Amino acid sequence: MWNPKKMSADMANYTNCISSIHSPNEELKQLENSGPSVTEQSGSGVVVENDSNLEANLSEIEAEVSVSDNTQSTRSTNGDTHESVDKGKEEEEWLDILGSGQLKKKVLKRAENGYRPQRSHICEINLQGSLPDGTIIDKHDHLSIQIGDAEVVQGLDLALPLMDVGEVALLEVGPRFAYGSQGREPDIPCDVTVMYTVELLSSEPEPEIET
């Protein structure tokens, strides 16, 4: 015979029994946490790690690549900086007298005083001129010239007033202020740049006409 009290007690026991069992979702979580890191296998037979391990590995690789890129960028930047500084320093060593690149001066030895010759002064110089290939075309010791009297190429006439007595300078004289389109046969070709090493030994004003 159906007994309501007994049915009620059975239902209570069934409810307690169900509540004591973990839900499928909780079981799955426990298995994932306690199980091995390898959870599935690809079709090609390669074992694939779980998502958390993959994310950790990818993070490590990205960090290494980022550090490597930063290091290379720093090296590249430093290289560009050094190159720019060296180029700027080299440009500062040369004085572009006319601003056209046709007449440039670089000091090889600075003078102890600041006395400079003036136009029409008589100067004594040591002079050596050479072609770009190193061929010597002019060499004079204790050569006496008067500035502005066209006794030397125009580039020397223009550069000497910018030198101090006792100074040694390297002059780069373009064709326009050297030997031009005609050159000087047989040793100086046409349209050639000439390099002069000049030492200014002395500079004196032109003597009075009466003397």
Side-chain angles (χ1 to χ4, degrees):
M1 181 179 289
W2 178 68
N3 189 343
K5 291 183 178 181
K6 185 179 180 194
M7 183 65 178
S8 233
D10 290 341
M11 289 296 296
N13 290 336
Y14 176 79
T15 302
N16 291 335
C17 181
I18 292 298
S19 63
S20 64
I21 299 175
H22 292 293
S23 67
N25 290 336
E26 291 177 0
E27 264 189 287
L28 181 59
K29 289 180 181 178
Q30 283 190 349
L31 287 174
E32 288 178 348
N33 293 333
S34 62
S37 60
V38 177
T39 57
E40 59 182 86
Q41 191 170 11
S42 66
S44 60
V46 179
V47 176
V48 181
E49 295 182 350
N50 60 34
D51 292 341
S52 60
N53 287 341
L54 283 175
E55 290 177 359
N57 291 339
L58 287 175
S59 298
E60 291 177 1
I61 293 172
E62 288 174 355
E64 291 176 0
V65 171
S66 176
V67 171
S68 176
D69 289 344
N70 291 337
T71 302
Q72 291 179 0
S73 176
T74 302
R75 288 177 180 172
S76 176
T77 303
N78 291 339
D80 292 342
T81 302
H82 289 314
E83 184 178 351
S84 177
V85 170
D86 292 341
K87 185 177 180 180
K89 185 177 179 181
E90 183 179 352
E91 290 177 351
E92 287 178 0
E93 289 178 351
W94 284 94
L95 170 64
D96 191 346
I97 295 175
L98 302 176
S100 62
Q102 285 289 312
L103 180 59
K104 296 194 292 185
K105 169 181 173 282
K106 180 166 70 171
V107 177
L108 301 180
K109 177 187 175 184
R110 297 190 179 278
E112 295 180 358
N113 60 69
Y115 181 71
R116 292 187 172 184
Q118 304 296 321
R119 186 175 178 81
S120 79
H121 275 203
I122 295 176
C123 299
E124 186 177 5
I125 63 174
N126 288 334
L127 176 69
Q128 178 174 299
S130 60
L131 300 178
D133 62 2
T135 303
I136 297 176
I137 55 173
D138 286 309
K139 187 171 184 180
H140 304 279
D141 292 330
H142 299 279
L143 176 66
S144 181
I145 63 170
Q146 186 171 13
I147 296 178
D149 203 28
E151 296 179 2
V152 289
V153 297
Q154 190 178 8
L156 286 173
D157 262 341
L158 295 172
L160 282 172
L162 298 176
M163 294 180 62
D164 298 324
V165 173
E167 178 181 319
V168 180
L170 179 64
L171 303 177
E172 182 180 300
V173 185
R176 181 179 175 186
F177 300 100
Y179 293 94
S181 59
Q182 294 183 353
R184 188 186 73 183
E185 294 183 356
D187 55 346
I188 302 178
C190 61
D191 296 322
V192 68
T193 297
V194 182
M195 305 297 295
Y196 286 102
T197 302
V198 185
E199 181 180 6
L200 180 57
L201 301 175
S202 66
S203 177
E204 300 292 339
E206 181 184 18
E208 297 293 336
I209 296 177
E210 290 80 3
T211 59

